[in-house]
Amino acid sequence: MGTFDQLGAFGGAIVSMLLDPWSVAIVLGASFLGIVFGALPGLTATLGVGLLATLTYGFGYQTALLALIAMYVGAIYGGSYPSILLNIPGTAASAASAMDGYPMAARGEGGRALGLTTTASFIGTLLGMVALVVLSPLIVEVALGFTSYEFCLLAIFGIIISGTLQSPDLVIKGWIAGFIGLALSVIGRDPLMFYPRYTFGLPALDSGLEVVPVLIGAFAIPQIITTIRTGAPLASRQAMGRIVPEIGTIFRNLKHIVRSAFIGVGIGAVPGVGEDIAGWVSYGAAKSTSRHPEKFGTGEPAGLISAETANNACIGGALIPLVTLGIPGSPPAVMLLGALMLHGLTPGPMLSISRPTFLAELAAVMVLASAAMCINGLVLARQVVKVLRVPSPIFLPIVAVLSVLGSYALGLNIANLYLMLIVGVAAYLLTAMRYPIAPLVIGVILGPMADENLRRALMVGQGDLTGFYTRPVSLILIAAIALTVFSQMPVIRRGLARLVTRGAAKSA
Amino acid sequence: MATTNAPTAAPEPPAADGPEDKRALRKADVWTGGILAIVAVFMIAKATTFPLEGNYAGVKNAWYVSPALFPLIVGGILLILSIALILKGRADYRRLAGTDLFAVPWGETWRSGQDVVIVSALLAGYIVGLIPRVDFVAATAFFLVVFMLIYIVTVPSARRLLLGGFLALSGGAFLVALVAWPAPRSGGQNTVDLLIWAAAGIAAIVGIMGSAAPARRRAVQAVITSLVTAIILAAAFKYFLLVPLPTEGWTVGLMDGLRAVLLAKGR
Amino acid sequence: MTHNLKTLLGPFAAAALLAASPAIAQDDYPSRPITNVVVWSAGGGTDTVNRLIMAEMEKAFDGATINTVNRTGGVGGSNGMSYVFGQPSDGYTLVGLSESVVTAAVQGGWDQRIDVWDIFIVGGSPDLISVTANSEYETLDDLITAAKDNPGSIRAGASAAGSIHHLNLLALENGADVEFNYIPYDGSAPAQNAAVAGEVQLVVTSLAEQQQLIQAGRLRPLAMLTPDGFTLDGIGDIPSAFDSFPDLAEYLPISQAIGFGVKADAPDEVKAALTEAFEVAMDSDAIKEFGRNNYYTLSGATGEESKKIFNNLEALFAWTLWDLDAATVNPEDLGIPKP
């Protein structure tokens, strides 16, 4: 199958879907539903794809694929709405977007933040698609080279990044919040030996703490408590005219976009790691390479763009091992695999033989899905900003009920509600004492990964640590960790800056 | 926006940053540092009881494979960090001329912290008391009506009545369930659901009566919004998102029946 | 006016009647939506199989609605099972499960035996042992010989301790009298990926999970852990491990069993209706094609037959875990007989 045939199939698929009003309706509808899913706290892309898997059972596989991908893209993007407008991330994937998105909304630039998010997500999805089509064979080799050593280092890298996030008070408080998160993450059956740790004999704790209720508790409850008092709307004045994306800002942040897309695709392609940490890693990378990192966390568009580009680029990345080897790269991709199997389609090497045009069709579907997301986003942004005008005594109790339903929806487990409540009250106390809360959530997400892979790496090496620095990918990760750590130290940062300017002067 | 109490990660530094608040913050740091240190010590102590060697569950164990390894690392670092926090907090506190590290200004703490207590008590009543055993629509309508009105009513006694009534009923449900609770879809369950609906109705009346003229319109708005939101959210989650509700009693049964009849008519 | 009011209130009155009548006569089961509670998370094998069989059973029930939801948490799926067990025994709440739930009781998740369910088994995929594609081991004999020369030196990947694949690995060790260095993973997929990357030298998972990696030439299949070999399109014959090591018959096969259950004390009419719909669904093209495409062995066992299968699985899992020191409750206290 030549490149031209593939291009033909790609173009043909796009045209035929655009000419079919039913397909257009489905892609717009599924994308809208995805945005709603992402925006409601606790309802994740995984859950959304699962719901559509059942609802599309009677459709043909192409229509189903269109609906599923549109849902996936929409849900990853939709999570940014509550992050930006309320500082309550709808999904873990968009938690990093709150860091700079919410300060923007708070100073009346909610519309602008949403516009930038829409553009960044659109570009991210498309770059992910390009990577899927063009770079698949290369990326899958690197991703499959990930062993316990690399997974462990990746987790440590994420944890280090959490320490670099802005701490409103003492720097040490960021680290403490992160380690509280890591401490919480060890509760439950240990992943290697199944030994119950800190479960106190309670079956509810056996499977460990779920991320979604922790996330909702940590962000939503403190926000409800601190703002219920005022009685006033959350933010009444918003510059409404700026929802249209600004080409200038996007162009100025091109390097952030390209780097974030690479990070997103890479993290998506590594099996088992997904959108949840792509945004964070990309945000951290943007901050530590930026010339003015102190602006991050105060409403810096570059931070928002980096996080949003990466989590949407992750989609294409997650599909790479799925399409080539049948290995899903992220949790929603696991669900997507199950959904495709319901339609009698098993992604993997056999697929390229039995349906040679599948990759081209998938690429076409992704283009349409991101276009639908963009259209929905631009129409919706103007409307959702108005939510901020609802008086808080009426609005926040509804947010509380949504938080409860969201914590419940994923596992239908009442214990998750108790968890949300306890984490929420504790998180409020911590924020009142000026601890940053994001590192705690990152700790809960990455703790099990660090724990399991550190011990397994040692198990494979029989206690020997050489594997950590003799493998190519792990060396790169160690270099990234070292760079992040050093770039946080003021002395070294200044020295580096001087070196760069001097070098530039010399070469000029 | 300027009226908002310090939202999390607020862009502008929260207004409260005088030496007085700094002192209070450092005092709190010493205290939390102490609590965290105790937690870390407990974590380490407990980890030493985990299997450290020998085979477990068919896995060859060694120090580096033990389930205790990671908790020991995390607990150890947490201990160091919390001791550092205590030392830093104490030094700053002395520098800021703070005197008694252990005196607690109760009155002030209550004034600044009562919203935490109210909101967490309401959530606890809803989550622990009502959700596991009362019809979801009834429980949610009751919770929303009380939560919204507490921050709208202008008469202090109405506010206390709303909060007290809600906590008494949800706490009561929790306590009764410790002894016995009617089976799902039984007459007893229906009675409880009706009781909660009645309580929600009374709360609505109390709230509207307890609001002075300018707030009264908002109170009426709140009552209508609570009822509509409870029904819409329940229907959306159950029929559209296919998420079964935690407890499905009389009201959800009514909604099921209504939907079945409407679907049959549509056909 | 009165007429208008009546039309308006009609649906409400009917609905109120429906809601008030506690249990509708059983002979028209199902008369309202059935909920199937899968105890494992969405997207996994148990979830996919359950969604498929439920979609087909909906057709067999002539358009009745069956909602599949996931209620995860606890140990061995205990959270979902406890929930369904607490619901009325009217057949409107089913539980979607797999063989692994038999460990819930000995691990302290709940205090019931597996026979509180009447289980309908859809099937499962057979386990096999594979090695990294560029491995020096061409056959099972090569591998076993190498393992005997140097006990405990070969790293073997499988999902977590006490999982079905771990039990298959243990059975292989016992039957062939060898010792591997077992490296546990959080699920089959990461174990297989580790084998592809060479972190472990061999992996034991099911054919359904491995087939894509075998087809892509990333894993080399050595032997099926079932009495019969298997012919995989485009790859060729995979011999049975029993051919070279007949002693394995004493320990194997340990087969996956994915399906769903209804409370054992549900009315007989309900069970009969479910059985009928289940049999129609098992006979459908969608299920057969799914089985063929994904290398599932379809079972269709119900009633006493499935009860026997699950009782055996329970005894095997419970006592193996107890012997490995990985159970918190003594199977004897639960009344589980030794296998």
Side-chain angles (χ1 to χ4, degrees):
Chain A
M1 193 102 194
T3 317
F4 283 106
D5 295 339
Q6 289 287 5
L7 268 179
F10 172 73
I14 286 199
V15 171
S16 73
M17 280 186 272
L18 278 179
L19 287 179
D20 177 18
W22 178 233
S23 295
V24 173
I26 289 225
V27 75
L28 283 173
S31 164
F32 175 75
L33 195 61
I35 295 174
V36 173
F37 248 81
L40 290 174
L43 299 189
T44 57
T46 315
L47 206 62
V49 174
L51 172 74
L52 277 195
T54 314
L55 291 184
T56 57
Y57 182 66
F59 301 173
Y61 92 91
Q62 273 160 323
T63 320
L65 189 68
L66 192 61
L68 292 166
I69 298 282
M71 162 60 102
Y72 187 179
V73 173
I76 297 295
Y77 158 75
S80 60
Y81 282 50
S83 297
I84 291 171
L85 298 176
L86 308 172
N87 199 21
I88 301 174
T91 56
S94 59
S97 310
M99 299 297 291
D100 280 295
Y102 179 67
M104 284 180 79
R107 64 172 182 236
E109 297 183 347
R112 181 182 176 216
L114 288 184
L116 284 175
T117 302
T118 310
T119 322
S121 300
F122 178 67
I123 298 174
T125 314
L126 287 188
L127 290 178
M129 184 275 289
V130 171
L132 167 67
V133 176
V134 182
L135 298 175
S136 261
L138 186 74
I139 290 173
V140 85
E141 283 313 316
V142 178
L144 283 185
F146 263 64
T147 60
S148 302
Y149 297 104
E150 283 83 10
F151 279 116
C152 177
L153 287 169
L154 186 62
I156 292 174
F157 183 53
I159 292 164
I160 300 274
I161 279 176
S162 76
T164 70
L165 298 175
Q166 213 108 27
S167 192
D169 189 36
L170 305 171
V171 177
I172 191 178
K173 288 188 174 177
W175 289 105
I176 289 182
F179 274 88
I180 293 176
L182 289 177
L184 289 176
S185 79
V186 299
I187 294 174
R189 295 266 175 175
D190 128 62
L192 291 191
M193 297 193 188
F194 223 55
Y195 182 83
R197 297 189 291 196
Y198 309 100
T199 59
F200 308 103
L202 298 172
L205 289 178
D206 261 324
S207 50
L209 306 187
E210 279 211 47
V211 172
V212 169
V214 169
L215 177 84
I216 295 178
F219 286 101
I221 307 285
Q223 190 69 348
I224 292 172
I225 295 174
T226 46
T227 39
I228 186 81
R229 218 24 202 309
T230 62
L234 293 169
S236 41
R237 289 181 310 280
Q238 289 287 337
M240 295 297 292
R242 313 179 68 170
I243 282 171
V244 219
E246 312 141 66
I247 305 300
T249 313
I250 295 292
F251 201 71
R252 268 197 303 286
N253 288 297
L254 208 57
K255 69 165 187 183
H256 289 299
I257 290 180
V258 172
R259 186 193 43 242
S260 304
F262 267 107
I263 291 176
V265 169
I267 287 185
V270 173
V273 200
E275 292 85 2
D276 286 9
I277 69 166
W280 282 118
V281 170
S282 169
Y283 182 85
K287 189 180 170 189
S288 32
T289 56
S290 168
R291 246 168 296 167
H292 36 73
E294 70 287 345
K295 280 199 189 164
F296 278 68
T298 63
E300 165 70 38
L304 180 64
I305 290 173
S306 301
E308 281 298 316
T309 310
N311 66 22
N312 273 75
C314 212
I315 300 172
L319 294 178
I320 290 175
L322 183 71
V323 174
T324 46
L325 292 171
I327 302 171
S330 72
V334 175
M335 198 56 240
L336 192 65
L337 173 66
L340 291 176
M341 279 164 71
L342 278 185
H343 286 279
L345 210 68
T346 312
M350 298 309 284
L351 198 60
S352 55
I353 298 165
S354 61
R355 285 184 212 275
T357 57
F358 182 77
L359 194 61
E361 280 171 43
L362 185 62
V365 163
M366 281 185 78
V367 169
L368 289 184
S370 50
M373 176 212 82
C374 212
I375 293 169
N376 273 324
L378 293 178
V379 174
L380 277 175
R382 202 173 285 271
Q383 309 307 318
V384 291
V385 173
K386 290 184 187 151
V387 160
L388 297 181
R389 293 191 202 155
V390 180
S392 59
I394 291 185
F395 185 55
L396 292 175
I398 297 176
V399 174
V401 173
L402 282 173
S403 304
V404 165
L405 274 171
S407 304
Y408 180 72
L410 192 58
L412 305 184
N413 191 344
I414 295 270
N416 281 341
L417 301 185
Y418 305 152
L419 173 66
M420 182 202 77
L421 180 66
I422 295 167
V423 170
V425 175
Y428 171 78
L429 294 177
L430 288 176
T431 38
M433 291 185 289
R434 310 275 175 81
Y435 286 81
I437 214 67
L440 188 147
V441 176
I442 300 180
V444 173
I445 295 175
L446 291 179
M449 188 169 144
D451 176 17
E452 186 184 339
N453 288 296
L454 169 68
R455 285 160 55 207
R456 198 183 300 114
L458 286 166
M459 201 180 204
V460 170
Q462 313 238 320
D464 188 5
L465 286 168
T466 48
F468 279 105
Y469 52 84
T470 52
R471 306 171 51 85
V473 180
S474 42
L475 263 180
I476 295 174
L477 283 166
I478 286 184
I481 291 172
L483 210 67
T484 316
V485 171
F486 289 143
S487 75
Q488 295 312 308
M489 298 180 179
V491 185
I492 295 172
R493 171 172 277 285
R494 253 176 274 133
L496 273 176
R498 210 171 296 148
L499 213 68
V500 172
T501 41
R502 201 174 292 164
K506 233 178 228 167
S507 64
Chain B
M1 191 61 213
T3 47
T4 315
N5 301 10
T8 358
E12 66 268 54
D17 238 329
E20 196 60 39
D21 300 288
K22 199 98 190 173
R23 260 209 299 276
L25 196 58
R26 289 295 164 265
K27 192 196 276 185
D29 287 347
V30 175
W31 279 72
T32 38
I35 294 169
L36 285 173
I38 294 171
V39 171
V41 168
F42 165 79
M43 200 174 160
I44 294 168
K46 184 97 184 169
T48 54
T49 67
F50 298 165
L52 290 164
E53 53 189 9
N55 280 5
Y56 184 81
V59 183
K60 248 197 302 187
N61 202 347
W63 67 265
Y64 49 81
V65 188
S66 164
L69 178 69
F70 195 68
L72 284 176
I73 297 174
V74 172
I77 298 180
L78 192 59
L79 185 61
I80 296 168
L81 288 173
S82 48
I83 291 172
L85 182 68
I86 296 175
L87 295 177
K88 167 84 179 148
R90 208 180 59 151
D92 280 11
Y93 190 69
R94 292 233 175 99
R95 203 163 41 78
L96 292 162
T99 42
D100 191 355
L101 254 178
F102 298 95
V104 180
W106 286 113
E108 196 185 305
T109 310
W110 168 244
R111 264 193 303 285
S112 63
Q114 57 167 306
D115 287 318
V116 198
V117 178
I118 293 174
V119 175
S120 16
L122 284 172
L123 275 169
Y126 180 48
I127 290 174
V128 182
L130 298 181
I131 284 189
R133 44 193 76 85
V134 178
D135 178 79
F136 182 77
V137 184
T140 304
F142 187 33
F143 168 74
L144 281 175
V145 143
V146 172
F147 195 171
M148 287 180 186
L149 289 174
I150 279 183
Y151 283 94
I152 291 174
V153 291
T154 43
V155 180
S157 62
R159 193 173 193 215
R160 279 196 291 273
L161 191 63
L162 285 170
L163 185 62
F166 182 81
L167 293 183
L169 275 176
S170 53
F174 177 76
L175 291 177
V176 171
L178 289 181
V179 186
W181 194 261
R185 296 178 165 269
S186 67
Q189 177 73 54
N190 289 345
T191 316
V192 174
D193 297 344
L194 278 176
L195 197 72
I196 295 296
W197 272 119
I202 295 171
I205 296 167
V206 168
I208 293 170
M209 302 307 273
S211 311
R216 187 162 289 178
R217 243 191 76 192
R218 185 167 283 185
V220 175
Q221 240 178 25
V223 169
I224 297 170
T225 316
S226 323
L227 185 66
V228 173
T229 310
I231 294 173
I232 289 183
L233 281 184
F237 272 75
K238 179 153 197 223
Y239 305 126
F240 191 53
L241 305 185
L242 303 180
V243 174
L245 303 170
T247 309
E248 306 195 341
W250 174 79
T251 326
V252 179
L254 186 70
M255 278 166 51
D256 283 348
L258 193 62
R259 179 171 173 272
V261 172
L262 288 178
L263 281 182
K265 271 203 169 172
R267 236 173 243 167
Chain C
M1 182 65 213
T2 41
H3 180 73
N4 280 352
L5 200 66
K6 225 177 172 181
T7 13
L8 251 173
L9 289 182
F12 280 97
L17 265 174
L18 265 175
S21 56
I24 295 159
Q26 297 296 348
D27 43 309
D28 49 357
Y29 173 88
S31 58
R32 58 186 169 89
I34 300 171
T35 304
N36 179 29
V37 179
V38 176
V39 302
W40 305 119
S41 56
T46 307
D47 179 66
T48 309
V49 167
N50 266 280
R51 284 177 197 269
L52 192 67
I53 192 83
M54 289 303 147
E56 289 303 319
M57 282 175 67
E58 272 187 345
K59 290 185 193 160
F61 272 138
D62 201 18
T65 312
I66 308 180
N67 294 325
T68 300
V69 299
N70 305 82
R71 201 176 278 263
T72 55
V75 54
S78 63
N79 185 41
M81 289 203 293
S82 308
Y83 169 80
V84 179
F85 195 66
Q87 296 298 306
S89 310
D90 55 7
Y92 285 98
T93 318
L94 308 175
V95 59
L97 39 68
S98 67
E99 74 294 328
S100 306
V101 301
V102 299
T103 62
V106 285
Q107 289 180 325
W110 75 337
D111 51 7
Q112 302 292 334
R113 294 271 312 270
I114 195 66
D115 58 11
V116 300
W117 308 117
D118 260 27
I119 296 172
F120 302 77
I121 305 176
V122 178
S125 186
D127 269 32
L128 77 163
I129 176 169
S130 295
V131 290
T132 313
N134 59 7
S135 166
E136 55 190 292
Y137 312 117
E138 295 284 345
T139 64
L140 185 61
D141 289 312
D142 293 352
L143 180 74
I144 299 291
T145 317
K148 277 195 172 146
D149 289 347
N150 223 336
S153 67
I154 296 180
R155 294 187 298 273
S159 43
S163 68
I164 179 137
H165 307 308
H166 179 216
L167 260 61
N168 267 292
L169 179 68
L170 279 175
L172 178 69
E173 287 185 312
N174 290 332
D177 194 25
V178 288
E179 193 197 332
F180 296 117
N181 181 9
Y182 164 52
I183 315 269
Y185 286 85
D186 198 9
S188 296
Q192 290 168 187
N193 294 347
V196 170
E199 179 169 296
V200 292
Q201 283 128 308
L202 69 95
V203 63
V204 175
T205 52
S206 75
L207 186 56
E209 292 159 316
Q210 268 185 42
Q211 53 135 334
Q212 296 289 343
L213 291 172
I214 295 175
Q215 301 275 16
R218 303 270 174 172
L219 288 179
R220 180 191 299 154
L222 289 190
M224 302 296 301
L225 298 178
T226 48
D228 300 309
F230 198 94
T231 311
L232 198 58
D233 297 336
I235 296 295
D237 286 336
I238 307 171
S240 163
F242 292 43
D243 297 349
S244 341
F245 302 94
D247 287 355
L248 282 174
E250 211 179 304
Y251 303 92
L252 287 169
I254 307 171
S255 311
Q256 252 186 344
I258 295 175
F260 65 94
V262 61
K263 278 173 81 174
D265 53 354
D268 287 338
E269 304 89 288
V270 168
K271 287 189 205 165
L274 279 172
T275 312
E276 198 181 318
F278 176 68
E279 279 165 1
V280 172
M282 286 302 289
D283 208 34
S284 68
D285 289 339
I287 293 283
K288 283 184 179 159
E289 199 188 311
F290 179 84
R292 221 176 13 251
N293 286 346
N294 296 289
Y295 305 100
Y296 269 72
T297 311
L298 296 177
S299 152
T302 58
E304 285 309 312
E305 190 189 352
S306 71
K307 193 148 275 186
K308 200 167 145 239
I309 294 173
F310 263 84
N311 280 339
N312 286 340
L313 282 168
E314 179 179 51
L316 176 70
F317 273 81
W319 283 101
T320 310
L321 285 180
W322 182 250
D323 292 339
L324 288 173
D325 240 354
T328 44
V329 178
N330 189 336
E332 214 160 71
D333 299 343
L334 292 159
I336 301 174
K338 283 204 180 189

